[in-house]
Amino acid sequence: MKVFVCIKQVPGVSEVKIDPKTNTLVREGIPSIINPHDKHAIELGISIKEEYGGEVIALSMGPPQAEKALREVLSMGVDKAYLLTDRAFAGADTLATSHTLALAIKKLLKETNVEQKYIVICGTQAIDGDTAQVGPELAEELNIPQITYVLKFRLEEDDKVIVERAFRTEEVVEIETRLPVLVSVVKEINVPRMPGVQGIVNAYQNKEVIYLNADDIGADKSEIGLNGSMTEVWKIFIPEKKVDHVVLTGTIDEMVRELCINLHDDKVI
Amino acid sequence: MDFGLTEKQIMIRKITREFAEKHIAPVAEESDRVSELDPNVMEKMKEMNYFGTCIPEEYGGAGLHNDTIAFAICTEEIGRVDASWSITTGVHCSVCTYPIYRFGNDEQKEKFLIPLAKGEKIGAFCLTEANAGSDAGGVQLTAEKEGDEYILNGSKIFATNGGIAGTLLVVAKSGEINSRKQLTIFIVDTDTPGYSVGVKEDKLGVRASNTSELVFQDVRVPEENILGGLSNGFRLGLQILDFGRITIAAQCLGLAQGCLEASVKYSNEREQFGTKIGKFQGIQWKIADMTTDVESARLLTYKAAWMCDQKMDYGLSGSMAKLVASEAAMKAAHQAVQIHGGYGLMKAYPVERFFRDAKMGEYAVVSAA
C-alpha cells in the first residue's frame, strides 16, 4: 500500500508582512517551516505504515529550498520524498497545484503498478493561503473519494476506511469508504512526532529527495503554473482593523443592559 | 576553508532546539530545585537518541560517530536551556559510551555499548578520587588480579552520573612495573556485588545532574572487562578526557548562548528612564562582548570537533576550546545577571540558574584554574 502525503513549506509567522509596492508577501528574514497541518498528515501517514505496513511517500511542490521540509519529514520516518520543482510550476493557484500533484501521484502509481490500494493525505489547509482547496481538488483530479476534516482514521478488511469527520467540533460523523481515498486531516487527529537524531542522520545519509520537473510528470504547460491557474491575485492586503472589541463586565443584567445600549447607539437595533 | 555547517547539522540544531525548548526548558527550574533529572524528559531523551549520539546505528546509536560537530551541536543546544541535562548526556556519551565504541572489543561492544547507546543504561567515567583527578596519575583505587578476575577496592568521588549509572568506566591502579604505577580502565556493571553509591553531592550548580561518591569493596570484575588493554589506562584516560573536553566546551558554549539570548530579550523588554534598557550603550557594550565571547567559543569548539573528525590530534584545540568556552559561560552568566538587575537574582528568570551552573564548566574534565 502506498501512502502519499502532500506537504507545503510556508513562512513561519502568524502575522505576515506585505510589501505595499508589489503586493507580495515579504519573505526576507522569515524562516520557512512545514505547514503545521501537514505535520499531522505526515504523522498519520507514518502511523498507518506502522500499523498496516506500506510505504510513505511525501510530495511537495515548491522552490529547491523546500527540500529542507522534505528532509525533515524523511527524518520523521517518511520513506521517499519527491520535490516538484520547475519554473513552469511557479504562480500556480490551487487548481494548477492540485493538477501538478495529481500528475506526480499518477506517475508514481504507474511506475509501481499499485493502481488501486493507496491513500493520499493532506493537511486541511495551509497557514499562508488558507484556502483548504488543494486536498479536495486533488481528489477530483485523481477521481477518488475524499473525506475532509478527518479526526480519526482506521483501516479494516484491508481496504475499508473508517474515519471520523469533524467539520464542526459539535458535529462528528463517522464515514466509511474503500481505498483509494484522499483524506485531509485536522490538527486534533494526532501529535506529530519529533524526529530523533538517528532519523535525521538517516534522512541525510540514506534517503534522497527526488526532483521532478514538468517534463518528468508529463505536464502540459498550459495546465500548470500561472498558465494553468483559473484564479488571479489582484491584491494582497492586511484587513484594516475598523472597530475595537469591547469586553463588558459586571452582573449579567448590567452587561445585557450595556450591550443593548451599545447596539442601539451603533444602530444595530 | 569552510565555516558553513552541513544541512544535516543545521537540521540537528533545529530539531534539538525545538526539543529542548519544548520538553527540557519548562521543567529545568523544578529539576534544579529538587536536584533530580525529570524522568519524563529522560524517556523522551532516549527516544530522541541523545544517549547514543556519537555511536553508529549498528550499536543502537544515532550514527554521528564521524560527525563530532553535530554531536557538539546537540550538547550545545541542550546546554542552551539546561546545563544539567547537557552534562548528563554529554558525559554519558563522550567519556563512557564513545570510549567503549572506540577502544572496546566486539564482545564489549555487544554487551555494554548497545544498552548504553539506547539509554537503557546510563554511563559514567570514574577517575576522580580524593587525591586524584586533574592529577590522573594519583589514582589509589586498586585492582588486584585473582584467577581470571580483578578485585577492585577503593572509592571515587564527584562522579558525574555516578548515582544513576548502570555501566562505569573505572580507572584503577592495577600494579607497578619498575616502581611505576600502572593504570587500567575496567568496565564495571553497577549490579556487581560490593559496589555501592555513597554520598550524592549537594551542589551550587548543575544540581539536577547526579554527582556521587562511588564505593568499591571487593568488586570482582572479569578480566574480559578491561578496556583497551592492561596498563593502558593512563594513555587511554587522557584520550578519553580529550574528547570529553569538546563536550564540556559545547555545553559551556550552549550556556553562554542561553545567557546572551536571555540578556537580549530582557534588554528589549525592560524599560527604565522611559526607554528600553537595550538602548543604553552600557548594556550594548555588555551584549557586544558576550556575543564576541560566544562566537570565539563556538569557533574553537567546532574547530576541535572538526579536527577530531579529520582524525587529527585535537588535544590542544580541545583544551583551548574548553578553556575559552568555560570562561565565556562564566562571563556571560555574570553579565546576564547584571543586565537583569535585581530580577537576575530571582528564580523567575533562568539566568539565576545559568549563573550557578556556569561555574561547573571551569572544573569539569580537568580544572581550568
Side-chain angles (χ1 to χ4, degrees):
Chain A
M1 185 172 58
K2 303 273 174 198
V3 182
F4 296 97
V5 188
C6 301
I7 68 164
K8 184 180 187 185
Q9 196 182 42
V10 295
V13 280
S14 50
E15 274 183 40
V16 293
K17 279 183 190 153
I18 292 161
D19 186 324
K21 280 184 192 158
T22 59
N23 274 335
T24 53
L25 295 180
V26 177
R27 289 188 181 268
E28 282 77 49
I30 295 170
S32 294
I33 59 166
I34 297 172
N35 179 47
H37 274 87
D38 300 351
K39 275 197 179 178
H40 297 266
I42 291 285
E43 178 60 37
L44 175 63
I46 298 169
S47 61
I48 288 173
K49 175 192 156 187
E50 285 169 348
E51 208 170 333
Y52 310 102
E55 188 183 35
V56 187
I57 300 159
L59 296 150
S60 188
M61 186 181 93
Q65 301 90 282
E67 178 176 335
K68 202 177 150 215
L70 287 167
R71 290 281 176 193
E72 189 171 340
V73 300
L74 286 172
S75 308
M76 289 169 76
V78 163
D79 299 295
K80 281 184 186 159
Y82 292 89
L83 179 59
L84 308 171
T85 194
D86 196 315
R87 289 204 174 273
F89 295 149
D93 68 357
T94 60
L95 188 71
T97 302
S98 52
H99 179 70
T100 309
L101 290 169
L103 286 176
I105 290 174
K106 283 178 192 166
K107 172 196 154 73
L108 297 173
L109 284 170
K110 201 173 275 178
E111 277 175 3
T112 51
N113 290 322
V114 239
E115 296 272 351
Q116 291 308 312
K117 274 172 55 177
Y118 68 96
I119 306 171
V120 182
I121 310 173
C122 299
T124 296
Q125 69 218 66
I127 55 167
D128 55 353
D130 238 350
T131 64
Q133 290 168 355
V134 170
E137 287 174 356
L138 178 55
E140 290 304 309
E141 289 272 353
L142 293 167
N143 198 22
I144 59 173
Q146 57 171 288
I147 311 172
T148 49
Y149 301 95
V150 168
L151 185 63
K152 274 185 186 167
F153 180 100
R154 68 175 202 275
L155 272 177
E156 275 179 17
E157 301 162 16
D158 225 26
D159 70 341
K160 189 159 92 179
V161 176
I162 303 166
V163 307
E164 280 182 18
R165 179 180 194 261
F167 182 54
R168 297 189 187 85
T169 43
E170 67 277 15
E171 197 183 320
V172 176
V173 290
E174 196 172 272
I175 299 176
E176 269 186 43
T177 184
R178 295 212 177 256
L179 294 181
V181 67
L182 179 141
V183 294
S184 75
V185 300
V186 293
K187 282 182 171 184
E188 291 73 20
I189 189 169
N190 53 33
V191 179
R193 70 194 64 192
M194 266 192 177
V197 183
Q198 195 184 77
I200 301 171
V201 173
N202 258 326
Y204 284 91
Q205 280 172 205
N206 306 323
K207 296 181 182 176
E208 62 175 326
V209 172
I210 301 154
Y211 281 58
L212 297 176
N213 62 26
D215 291 337
D216 294 329
I217 58 171
D220 178 335
K221 295 271 160 77
S222 67
E223 292 179 338
I224 55 170
L226 201 56
N227 292 338
S229 297
M230 294 292 123
T231 56
E232 191 183 331
V233 178
W234 276 24
K235 190 182 175 190
I236 302 176
F237 60 96
I238 299 167
E240 260 179 64
K241 192 171 151 192
K242 287 180 182 147
V243 279
D244 282 326
H245 76 276
V246 179
V247 178
L248 303 177
T249 53
T251 66
I252 293 203
D253 282 346
E254 286 164 359
M255 288 191 288
V256 168
R257 191 173 307 122
E258 205 181 331
L259 178 64
C260 290
I261 292 167
N262 286 346
L263 290 173
H264 188 260
D265 287 352
D266 290 345
K267 298 188 170 41
V268 178
I269 51 174
Chain B
M1 188 178 267
D2 182 1
F3 287 102
L5 296 177
T6 64
E7 288 296 321
K8 179 179 74 179
Q9 290 161 349
I10 292 168
M11 183 64 77
I12 284 172
R13 182 190 299 284
K14 170 180 147 35
I15 298 294
T16 305
R17 181 169 292 198
E18 277 176 27
F19 174 83
E21 286 180 352
K22 189 173 173 192
H23 297 292
I24 302 177
V27 294
E29 190 200 333
E30 177 63 10
S31 301
D32 174 74
R33 195 182 65 77
V34 300
S35 295
E36 292 282 347
L37 293 166
D38 185 284
N40 294 325
V41 175
M42 178 71 88
E43 287 313 306
K44 292 198 173 81
M45 297 280 281
K46 290 176 190 175
E47 286 168 24
M48 296 291 288
N49 323 114
Y50 290 124
F51 287 93
T53 323
C54 44
I55 301 301
E57 210 175 328
E58 59 184 297
Y59 296 113
L64 292 178
H65 48 292
N66 290 323
D67 195 342
T68 309
I69 293 177
F71 169 58
I73 288 171
C74 288
T75 311
E76 173 190 349
E77 287 300 326
I78 296 168
R80 180 176 158 270
V81 303
D82 189 351
S84 284
W85 269 115
S86 185
I87 195 84
T88 300
T89 53
V91 162
H92 166 96
C93 290
S94 67
V95 292
C96 182
T97 309
Y98 185 71
I100 296 178
Y101 164 63
R102 225 182 118 197
F103 306 116
N105 57 39
D106 289 348
E107 291 77 33
Q108 290 170 342
K109 286 178 188 171
E110 198 65 35
K111 187 172 173 193
F112 297 106
L113 186 54
I114 294 172
L116 283 166
K118 289 181 175 171
E120 292 163 1
K121 287 193 174 174
I122 304 299
F125 178 66
C126 314
L127 169 67
T128 305
E129 297 178 9
N131 293 310
S134 294
D135 175 12
V139 167
Q140 286 171 339
L141 186 141
T142 56
E144 275 184 58
K145 193 166 197 283
E146 192 184 290
D148 50 10
E149 288 180 327
Y150 279 82
I151 305 169
L152 270 54
N153 275 296
S155 62
K156 296 288 181 184
I157 59 166
F158 302 167
T160 301
N161 294 348
I164 58 170
T167 302
L168 312 170
L169 293 187
V170 181
V171 183
K173 185 182 144 191
S174 53
E176 282 188 10
I177 296 173
N178 299 333
S179 72
R180 282 184 65 186
K181 195 187 275 183
Q182 302 297 305
L183 297 182
T184 299
I185 297 177
F186 293 88
I187 309 173
V188 180
D189 196 312
T190 57
D191 289 337
T192 316
Y195 167 78
S196 62
V197 177
V199 179
K200 178 189 163 189
E201 301 296 345
D202 189 9
K203 307 190 295 294
L204 167 76
V206 286
R207 292 178 56 79
S209 150
N210 183 291
T211 310
S212 295
E213 177 196 17
L214 309 176
V215 182
F216 299 78
Q217 236 171 352
D218 295 329
V219 174
R220 288 173 172 273
V221 182
E223 199 171 18
E224 65 253 30
N225 283 18
I226 289 176
L227 183 71
L230 185 68
S231 303
N232 265 338
F234 189 77
R235 187 178 60 82
L236 239 57
L238 294 185
Q239 287 186 49
I240 291 171
L241 293 179
D242 279 347
F243 195 66
R245 268 182 217 107
I246 296 181
T247 316
I248 299 301
Q251 177 257 316
C252 292
L253 163 62
L255 195 151
Q257 176 73 33
C259 290
L260 170 61
E261 287 177 40
S263 300
V264 170
K265 182 169 183 280
Y266 188 79
S267 308
N268 286 328
E269 286 169 3
R270 173 72 169 166
E271 287 190 17
Q272 288 284 273
F273 308 100
T275 185
K276 305 264 191 272
I277 61 168
K279 297 276 180 212
F280 299 132
Q281 200 174 25
I283 300 288
Q284 291 171 356
W285 276 327
K286 287 183 193 296
I287 287 176
D289 287 343
M290 283 162 89
T291 308
T292 309
D293 288 343
V294 167
E295 190 59 16
S296 312
R298 181 168 289 124
L299 286 173
L300 278 170
T301 304
Y302 291 0
K303 188 194 171 197
W306 175 83
M307 288 177 77
C308 175
D309 291 336
Q310 302 301 314
K311 315 284 179 225
M312 294 159 81
D313 180 359
Y314 61 91
L316 181 63
S317 273
S319 292
M320 292 192 294
K322 194 243 155 190
L323 174 66
V324 169
S326 62
E327 288 182 354
M330 200 58 231
K331 272 157 63 185
H334 170 70
Q335 295 296 14
V337 172
Q338 287 301 112
I339 289 169
H340 280 68
Y343 288 106
L345 301 180
M346 305 302 158
K347 293 204 181 283
Y349 289 89
V351 293
E352 182 270 345
R353 174 166 49 87
F354 291 167
F355 183 78
R356 289 183 287 105
D357 288 351
K359 197 66 191 161
M360 182 274 304
E362 294 186 319
Y363 309 114
V365 198
V366 185
S367 176

